Amino acid sequence: MQNWLTDLKTKTPAPFFLFLSLLVFFPPLSSTAHDRLLADSGPPKDPASLTAQTEHSLENTLPPSNHTGQAALVLISLVVILMGAKLGGDVFERLRQPAVLGELLFGVLLGNLSILGFHGMNYLKTNEVISALAEIGVIFLLFEVGLESNIKDMMEVGVSSFLVATVGVICPMILGWWISSFFLPESGPLVHVFIGATLCATSVGITARVLKDLGKTNEKEARIILGAAVIDDVMGLVVLAAVSGIIKAADRGAIGVSATEIGIIILKATVFFVASIWLGSKIAPQMFRLASLLRIRGMLLVTSISFCFSLSYLASLIDLAPIVGAFAAGLILDPVHYQDLQRRENNGIEELISPIASFLVPIFFVLMGVRVELRTFANPSILTFAMVLTAVAVVGKQACSLGVLEKGLDRISVGIGMIPRGEVGLIFASMGSTLLLKGEPVIISSTYSAVVIMVILTTLVTPPVLKISLERGEKIKRRNGGKQLNSPMVD
Amino acid sequence: MQNWLTDLKTKTPAPFFLFLSLLVFFPPLSSTAHDRLLADSGPPKDPASLTAQTEHSLENTLPPSNHTGQAALVLISLVVILMGAKLGGDVFERLRQPAVLGELLFGVLLGNLSILGFHGMNYLKTNEVISALAEIGVIFLLFEVGLESNIKDMMEVGVSSFLVATVGVICPMILGWWISSFFLPESGPLVHVFIGATLCATSVGITARVLKDLGKTNEKEARIILGAAVIDDVMGLVVLAAVSGIIKAADRGAIGVSATEIGIIILKATVFFVASIWLGSKIAPQMFRLASLLRIRGMLLVTSISFCFSLSYLASLIDLAPIVGAFAAGLILDPVHYQDLQRRENNGIEELISPIASFLVPIFFVLMGVRVELRTFANPSILTFAMVLTAVAVVGKQACSLGVLEKGLDRISVGIGMIPRGEVGLIFASMGSTLLLKGEPVIISSTYSAVVIMVILTTLVTPPVLKISLERGEKIKRRNGGKQLNSPMVD
């Protein structure tokens, strides 16, 4: 056994092994066992019987067979999702691509097995528990991203970051709007705005990861990119809030949207951010001081999670996405606030949140992939739309280089570093698919697929191109003998 | 503000502050906002429209308003559950009681607010997502408990632990059976057996925690108690598997249960344990070796969780509780198996699982409390039943002292240390409430409440009594001048 393994190891690529072990752990998708599980988690009871159930209390809280079957189905689904996410992530890291791409594509594979005649995984698209876990996962992700920076860091990166972010939000949005009105002439202007909005936010996670992999995190250009990515995340979320608010208002019957209404919505989103950050910074230290009065262990984790979930809840109460609140919560919390608790528990918030995020975040990305309908790609006009959308997404962010005020920096690399769209674009798209406008979702299945292709391509294209651009920039810097560089093509 | 706070701090007990901050974070349970959320998560659509939905794919996977409302409701519920659990835990730790009691009682409070005319929390009893999170939580708890010991440790504690465990399982079961047939004469023998079974397993968590709080973890008595608690956990789970299997068989129409059938079920449970532990110990090192071939981060956590969930799934496939598999998975995994990954990721499995458990486990205990119907306590016969059940639970475990073979040990303390019933008893009770026998749940609402009272009282009674007994034992040992002690009352 051992020899056989060592023997094979030298000849077979590693991912193959994990795929084998995946099969070992996933034997029961044979038709019978699986059908039984599906039947168990099966059709919801009719409303009348459910109402009757709530009359009694305990014995009906857990519908017997349904319960066990549902739990087992969720467990084995999570095994498949987690192992598949890691396998996909590893393959793509070996190809020097971000792991998130592998998770996404594994999801696409899983969600489109029905093309090959296997319909056993379709329940993933509708399972409420897995969908809830994914949503809690993305809340933890944005909380983590928020924790990675703080309000002071955002102030310090200064004017350049802000200008880069602003240009990088406006240009792709206008281009996206224009392209959308060209490709989807029957849709209303709000749909075009929404599609434009999906193009605005750079993915902090992917950008940071790529710069880290290239060992460039401390270059001046890198700091501008990271600062701008954080700011345009916030701007993107404000845009999302504004656009969804406008769409919800329009759907409630408001014919046309007045500038005042737009103003109010933008104001509401901005006020939420400013107020939650300002009030939050005041409340957070008091909150942790109160929490540290409790002697029980685990207060740091539970207090942070509760703070994050509370802001997410408040955000959703005023029609913002819960993740907006989670991100704000992450920005607000600062090690200074909780050093007492941190000393007591020997762990910072980030170390405590990290395992939870490792567990839940891949569920989100795999599920995002599962929801991609490959069948829609058969439509050449959608494919064309996706390619044009990608081109617009790349070109739109190149205007960012105009926002760099400092002389002698590698502006091209800044523009390229802003290209990757990731979680935020996907979140926009999935939010758009839940927003109704005259009974139609704003982002229909085909548009969603086009946005996902755009995310995949922008994420795929960045690492190699950014690498080449940074190396080129360095060569010029060296040729100038340590003098500051004026990139000939940009200045 | 600061002065006011310092001033108040000196006069007001700390938990009061957390309760205040809980109110700050939980303002929106005002009727309107809450009703809106409830309406959003409201009655399921009729099956016909759901079937129609699956025809389309993406745009219907997330039913719009339902989705957002459900997510927000889950988030704020988790805040209440987590903060309440910690607050309750802190209060009970200050009273030198185990924290789990506080979580349980907070749940009881939350679930019985309708007695005070507030029905706003009743959705907690039926919310599918929160129930699923609780169930994943208890899987992580048993996984953690399994991780704390390993197969070798269990072998070493030897014959005494095994005898203590065996006596401690058999006596309370027989007494419980007898008492149940006295109090519930109309119920069949299977119900009596099940109630007996809820009495058999000592709570490893609570026992260990109490011994740790008293600084006695390394006494010989403590090691026998801990070893026996682990073994009787396994025995309890085998009993649970056997009893539920028999009940399921009986419910499927098998009139009477033959000795062969009982034998087969016990065999199945035992074989699952032995096979999963034997095969698992062979597979686990290979599995981690394969996992370590992937270069991506987070493999240790994801592989462990997948292993745990896979065994839980396999257990549920052969009609065992998923937690049986989770516990087995924990026992099997050993640091030796994954030292490569541990070195790479600077963290052991236990440190990685711990934050996830801190997040999810309290949800389980609070929800267990929520499901207690205080109204059933109004029935004096149920209260009497609960008191007698508690007496039987305490007395039954005192026979354990007969299992201690070594001379000169404090046998009384061993018997007392085995008293607390915790998670396993509650799990039995909640499983019993989902098992149907001729259309009736095996554990009806009133019996469930009696079992919970028993768990609360055995857990409450142990810490002070064990403390007194251990101090008394020590005094006798000292009086005998360092010679080994023969406890006069036991030998």
Side-chain angles (χ1 to χ4, degrees):
Chain A
M1 174 73 180
Q2 295 248 1
N3 282 338
W4 164 83
L5 189 76
T6 333
D7 207 49
L8 255 181
K9 230 195 292 185
T10 56
K11 292 169 192 158
T12 326
F16 178 72
F17 279 97
L18 204 78
F19 191 67
L20 268 185
S21 70
L22 225 166
L23 286 178
V24 168
F25 281 114
F26 191 39
L29 269 185
S30 64
S31 51
T32 41
H34 192 66
D35 289 352
R36 186 158 67 87
L37 286 171
L38 281 179
D40 280 352
S41 71
K45 297 113 235 122
D46 65 295
S49 80
L50 260 184
T51 322
Q53 272 194 348
T54 51
E55 298 292 293
H56 312 263
S57 54
L58 167 85
E59 53 268 46
N60 293 310
T61 47
L62 310 167
S65 63
N66 185 330
H67 186 58
T68 321
Q70 167 80 8
L73 186 65
V74 168
L75 289 175
I76 196 64
S77 306
L78 291 180
V79 172
V80 175
I81 288 172
L82 290 175
M83 294 304 270
K86 284 296 163 195
L87 183 59
D90 184 72
V91 170
F92 275 76
E93 283 206 341
R94 273 165 207 264
L95 300 171
R96 299 172 160 273
Q97 305 301 328
V100 66
L101 259 183
E103 300 178 3
L104 216 49
L105 289 178
F106 174 75
V108 172
L109 181 75
L110 212 58
N112 289 279
L113 289 174
S114 53
I115 292 177
L116 306 171
F118 181 76
H119 302 279
M121 303 308 286
N122 287 348
Y123 69 91
L124 281 178
K125 299 182 184 182
T126 48
N127 187 294
E128 206 185 326
V129 170
I130 294 174
S131 153
L133 289 174
E135 222 173 323
I136 297 174
V138 72
I139 284 173
F140 274 108
L141 174 68
L142 272 274
F143 185 45
E144 246 191 337
V145 171
L147 281 172
E148 275 166 23
S149 55
N150 60 47
I151 304 153
K152 202 168 134 247
D153 280 358
M154 281 176 70
M155 301 298 182
E156 276 178 5
V157 281
V159 190
S160 281
S161 282
F162 186 80
L163 288 178
V164 166
T166 312
V167 174
V169 164
I170 292 171
C171 289
M173 247 194 102
I174 291 173
L175 287 174
W177 184 338
W178 175 65
I179 286 297
S180 165
S181 63
F182 184 78
F183 274 84
L184 306 168
E186 328 80 48
S187 303
L190 286 175
V191 172
H192 306 320
V193 175
F194 204 94
I195 291 174
T198 63
L199 297 181
C200 60
T202 297
S203 160
V204 199
I206 287 170
T207 313
R209 180 88 163 264
V210 169
L211 286 165
K212 205 177 171 192
D213 287 353
L214 298 173
K216 300 272 185 191
T217 331
N218 284 318
E219 305 275 311
K220 214 167 190 175
E221 290 86 352
R223 269 181 281 154
I224 291 178
I225 295 173
L226 290 175
V230 169
I231 296 171
D232 85 0
D233 239 22
V234 177
M235 288 180 174
L237 294 172
V238 171
V239 167
L240 173 66
V243 175
S244 359
I246 293 167
I247 288 170
K248 278 183 189 168
D251 192 48
R252 275 195 292 267
I255 316 143
V257 183
S258 72
T260 326
E261 279 177 296
I262 299 181
I264 288 173
I265 290 158
I266 294 176
L267 195 75
K268 205 165 74 169
T270 315
V271 163
F272 173 79
F273 246 99
V274 173
S276 67
I277 283 174
W278 186 73
L279 268 179
S281 316
K282 301 276 168 204
I283 289 172
Q286 309 288 338
M287 178 185 71
F288 281 109
R289 203 173 304 154
L290 289 176
S292 71
L293 296 180
L294 295 200
R295 298 183 210 150
I296 199 161
R297 273 182 312 163
M299 280 313 291
L300 181 58
L301 179 68
V302 163
T303 311
S304 322
I305 292 179
S306 298
F307 186 67
C308 165
F309 285 5
S310 298
L311 279 194
S312 308
Y313 174 72
L314 289 178
S316 75
L317 271 194
I318 57 165
D319 280 340
L320 290 173
I323 46 160
V324 175
F327 183 70
L331 279 183
I332 293 165
L333 292 193
D334 197 279
V336 180
H337 300 152
Y338 51 82
Q339 42 192 339
D340 284 1
L341 276 175
Q342 177 156 4
R343 212 172 298 129
R344 196 169 88 189
E345 311 208 352
N346 285 322
N347 252 327
I349 291 180
E350 285 170 61
E351 290 97 75
L352 292 170
I353 295 293
S354 160
I356 302 179
S358 301
F359 168 39
L360 295 175
V361 172
I363 304 173
F364 176 76
F365 287 109
V366 171
L367 207 59
M368 285 294 104
V370 163
R371 288 177 182 154
V372 175
E373 287 294 315
L374 279 187
R375 262 171 299 185
T376 57
F377 287 34
N379 186 334
S381 73
I382 292 171
L383 247 189
T384 319
F385 183 39
M387 300 311 289
V388 174
L389 210 59
T390 308
V392 155
V394 171
V395 171
K397 284 288 182 188
Q398 296 323 298
C400 286
S401 46
L402 300 174
V404 182
L405 294 180
E406 289 85 351
K407 291 270 171 216
L409 288 189
D410 182 2
R411 293 177 176 190
I412 290 182
S413 294
V414 172
I416 293 168
M418 298 294 289
I419 290 174
R421 312 300 202 282
E423 46 279 16
V424 179
L426 294 173
I427 292 159
F428 276 34
S430 83
M431 283 227 25
S433 72
T434 69
L435 285 173
L436 294 182
L437 195 61
K438 293 163 200 154
E440 280 278 302
V442 172
I443 298 286
I444 56 172
S445 180
S446 53
T447 317
Y448 181 81
S449 303
V451 171
V452 174
I453 300 176
M454 180 275 291
V455 168
I456 291 174
L457 291 181
T458 54
T459 315
L460 258 174
V461 96
T462 304
V465 176
L466 184 58
K467 202 178 162 195
I468 294 168
S469 168
L470 283 169
E471 281 166 358
R472 193 192 135 279
E474 200 142 320
K475 214 178 282 172
I476 297 173
K477 278 187 194 173
R478 239 177 297 144
R479 200 187 305 149
N480 293 4
K483 277 188 293 175
Q484 284 206 314
L485 151 110
N486 270 306
S487 176
M489 277 150 309
V490 187
D491 214 334
Chain B
M1 175 70 180
Q2 295 249 0
N3 281 339
W4 164 85
L5 190 76
T6 333
D7 207 48
L8 255 181
K9 230 195 293 186
T10 56
K11 292 168 192 160
T12 327
F16 177 72
F17 279 98
L18 203 77
F19 190 68
L20 268 184
S21 69
L22 225 166
L23 286 179
V24 169
F25 281 115
F26 190 40
L29 270 186
S30 64
S31 52
T32 39
H34 193 65
D35 288 352
R36 186 158 66 87
L37 286 171
L38 281 179
D40 280 351
S41 72
K45 297 113 240 128
D46 65 294
S49 80
L50 260 184
T51 322
Q53 272 194 347
T54 51
E55 298 292 293
H56 311 262
S57 55
L58 167 86
E59 53 270 46
N60 293 310
T61 47
L62 310 166
S65 63
N66 185 332
H67 187 59
T68 320
Q70 167 80 8
L73 187 64
V74 167
L75 289 175
I76 196 64
S77 306
L78 291 180
V79 172
V80 175
I81 287 173
L82 290 175
M83 295 303 270
K86 285 294 163 195
L87 183 59
D90 185 73
V91 169
F92 276 76
E93 282 206 341
R94 272 164 207 264
L95 301 171
R96 298 172 160 272
Q97 305 300 329
V100 66
L101 258 183
E103 300 178 3
L104 216 49
L105 289 178
F106 174 75
V108 172
L109 182 75
L110 213 58
N112 288 278
L113 289 174
S114 52
I115 292 177
L116 306 172
F118 180 75
H119 303 278
M121 303 308 286
N122 286 348
Y123 70 91
L124 280 180
K125 297 181 185 185
T126 48
N127 187 294
E128 206 185 327
V129 171
I130 294 173
S131 154
L133 288 174
E135 226 174 320
I136 296 174
V138 73
I139 283 173
F140 274 107
L141 175 67
L142 272 273
F143 185 47
E144 246 191 337
V145 170
L147 282 173
E148 276 166 21
S149 55
N150 60 47
I151 304 154
K152 203 169 134 246
D153 280 358
M154 282 176 71
M155 301 300 184
E156 277 178 4
V157 282
V159 191
S160 281
S161 282
F162 187 79
L163 288 178
V164 166
T166 312
V167 174
V169 165
I170 292 171
C171 289
M173 247 195 104
I174 291 173
L175 286 173
W177 184 336
W178 176 64
I179 286 296
S180 165
S181 62
F182 184 78
F183 274 83
L184 306 167
E186 329 79 50
S187 303
L190 286 175
V191 172
H192 306 322
V193 175
F194 204 94
I195 291 174
T198 62
L199 297 180
C200 60
T202 297
S203 159
V204 200
I206 288 170
T207 313
R209 180 89 162 264
V210 169
L211 286 165
K212 205 177 170 190
D213 287 353
L214 298 173
K216 299 273 185 192
T217 331
N218 283 317
E219 305 274 313
K220 214 166 190 176
E221 290 85 353
R223 267 182 284 153
I224 291 177
I225 294 173
L226 290 175
V230 170
I231 296 171
D232 86 359
D233 240 23
V234 178
M235 287 179 174
L237 293 173
V238 171
V239 167
L240 173 66
V243 175
S244 359
I246 293 166
I247 288 170
K248 278 184 190 168
D251 192 48
R252 274 195 290 268
I255 316 144
V257 182
S258 72
T260 327
E261 279 176 296
I262 299 181
I264 288 172
I265 289 158
I266 294 176
L267 194 75
K268 206 165 76 170
T270 316
V271 162
F272 173 79
F273 246 100
V274 173
S276 68
I277 283 174
W278 186 74
L279 269 179
S281 316
K282 301 276 169 202
I283 290 173
Q286 307 289 339
M287 177 184 70
F288 282 108
R289 201 172 305 154
L290 290 177
S292 70
L293 295 181
L294 295 200
R295 298 182 208 151
I296 199 162
R297 273 182 313 162
M299 280 313 292
L300 182 57
L301 179 69
V302 163
T303 311
S304 320
I305 292 179
S306 298
F307 186 66
C308 166
F309 284 6
S310 298
L311 280 193
S312 307
Y313 174 72
L314 289 178
S316 75
L317 271 194
I318 57 164
D319 278 342
L320 292 172
I323 46 160
V324 175
F327 183 68
L331 280 183
I332 293 166
L333 292 193
D334 197 278
V336 180
H337 301 153
Y338 51 83
Q339 42 191 339
D340 284 1
L341 277 175
Q342 177 155 4
R343 212 172 298 132
R344 196 169 86 188
E345 311 206 354
N346 284 324
N347 252 326
I349 291 179
E350 286 171 60
E351 291 98 74
L352 292 171
I353 295 293
S354 161
I356 303 178
S358 302
F359 169 40
L360 294 175
V361 171
I363 303 173
F364 176 76
F365 288 109
V366 171
L367 208 60
M368 286 294 104
V370 164
R371 287 175 183 157
V372 174
E373 285 294 313
L374 279 186
R375 262 171 297 186
T376 58
F377 287 34
N379 185 336
S381 73
I382 292 171
L383 246 190
T384 319
F385 184 40
M387 300 311 289
V388 175
L389 210 59
T390 307
V392 154
V394 170
V395 171
K397 284 287 183 188
Q398 295 322 298
C400 286
S401 47
L402 299 173
V404 182
L405 294 180
E406 289 86 351
K407 290 272 171 214
L409 288 189
D410 182 1
R411 293 178 179 190
I412 291 181
S413 294
V414 172
I416 293 169
M418 298 294 290
I419 291 174
R421 312 297 203 283
E423 46 279 17
V424 179
L426 293 173
I427 292 160
F428 276 34
S430 82
M431 282 228 25
S433 72
T434 69
L435 283 173
L436 294 181
L437 195 60
K438 292 163 199 155
E440 280 277 301
V442 172
I443 299 287
I444 55 173
S445 180
S446 54
T447 316
Y448 180 81
S449 303
V451 170
V452 174
I453 300 177
M454 180 275 290
V455 168
I456 292 174
L457 291 181
T458 54
T459 315
L460 257 176
V461 96
T462 305
V465 175
L466 185 59
K467 200 179 164 196
I468 294 169
S469 169
L470 283 169
E471 280 165 0
R472 192 192 135 280
E474 201 142 319
K475 213 178 280 172
I476 297 175
K477 277 187 193 173
R478 238 177 296 144
R479 197 188 304 147
N480 293 2
K483 276 189 294 174
Q484 285 206 312
L485 151 113
N486 270 306
S487 174
M489 277 152 307
V490 186
D491 214 332

